[in-house]
Amino acid sequence: MSNLVSPAELSSLSDAGARILDVRFRLEKPDGHDDYLAGHIPGAVYVDLETELSTHGLPEDGRHPLPDTATVQTAARRWGLNEGDVVVVYDDYRGLAAARAWWLLRHGGIDVRVLDGGWSAWQAAGGAVETGEVTPEPGAVELADVSGDSLTIDEAAAFPASGVLLDVRAPERFRGEVEPLDPIAGHIPGAVNLPTVLHFAADGALLAPDALRDTFAGAGIAEGTPVAAYCGSGLTAAHTALALAEAGIDAKLFHGSWSQWSNTPGRPVATGE
C-alpha cells in the first residue's frame, strides 16, 4: 500500500472520517500558523513542528532533535487522534515537514499517509478551503515508541561500514564548499550524496516508484540494501525515507544529522566528492 494519497483520495478518506494534519513549516518561516488560519483543507488541525514534532536542547543535540514518545502522544491527543484513526498529513513545501510527522506517527503505530504534492496539489485540484482554527475534541490514542529505526551519532558514524549512508543535502554543502547553517562544512566520512530534490516531479509530487528505484540504484541501493539517511537537521531526510518506502526499501534515519555532527567536538569531517 502506498504511503501517499492524491487530492481525490484524500476527499474520500475525509468523508470516511480520516484525520487531517497541516504541518506547515519552512526554514525561513518556521511558524506557519497564520498561513494555516488564512486557508487550509477542511477539518485540518495545525501541527507545530518546532514544539510537537521536535525537541530542543544543546547545539550538539542538533537543530530538530527527535522528540520522545510522550511528547508526540500528548500532541497527537491534542490533534484529536484515537485508536484506529487514519491520518493524512500535508504541508505547503514539497512534503518535507509532513514527512517528519509521517515518520513519527508511522513508528507510533498510526495508519498515516502523506498528501502527494501537498497544499499546492489540493489547490490545483480545486479542493475546498476552510479558514480559521480547527480545535477537535481531545483524543486518547496510545502511541508505540516513535524512535524506531533512528540512529544515534555513533551508529551513524559506523553505518557506512555495513550499508549506504545517504547525505540528502545539496551537493555543494556535501562537498564542503558552502555551509549556510552549521559551524563546519563537509559530510560524514563514507556518506553518499543523493539530494532530496532528485525525487520530485516538476509539480512537486513524488516520482513514480520505478523512477525512484532507478535513482536509488545509482547510489548503490536496491531492495535489501541497508540504508540510512541524514540531512541538515533531520527533516529533509525523513522525506528521503518516504521516497525509499515508496520504492519498497526500508530506511533508518540519523535525526541529529549534520547539525548534530558538526556541533559535536572530535567528529571527523570529509569534504569533496
Side-chain angles (χ1 to χ4, degrees), residues 158 185 253:
L253 287 187

Side-chain angles (χ1 to χ4, degrees), residues 29-89:
K29 190 180 181 184
D31 186 353
H33 192 224
D34 57 345
D35 292 327
Y36 161 84
L37 292 174
H40 55 78
I41 296 173
V45 177
Y46 178 70
V47 174
D48 189 319
L49 185 145
E50 290 279 8
T51 62
E52 296 182 309
L53 302 179
S54 305
T55 186
H56 297 282
L58 299 172
E60 55 264 35
D61 296 325
R63 285 195 304 280
H64 291 106
L66 200 69
D68 60 23
T69 301
T71 297
V72 182
Q73 180 170 282
T74 297
R77 291 177 175 181
R78 182 189 74 77
W79 307 331
L81 302 194
N82 290 294
E83 299 298 326
D85 281 345
V86 174
V87 178
V88 178
V89 295

Side-chain angles (χ1 to χ4, degrees), residues 251-265:
K252 297 183 182 294
L253 287 187
F254 172 35
H255 284 94
S257 285
W258 188 247
S259 59
Q260 180 179 20
W261 188 276
S262 61
N263 278 287
T264 303

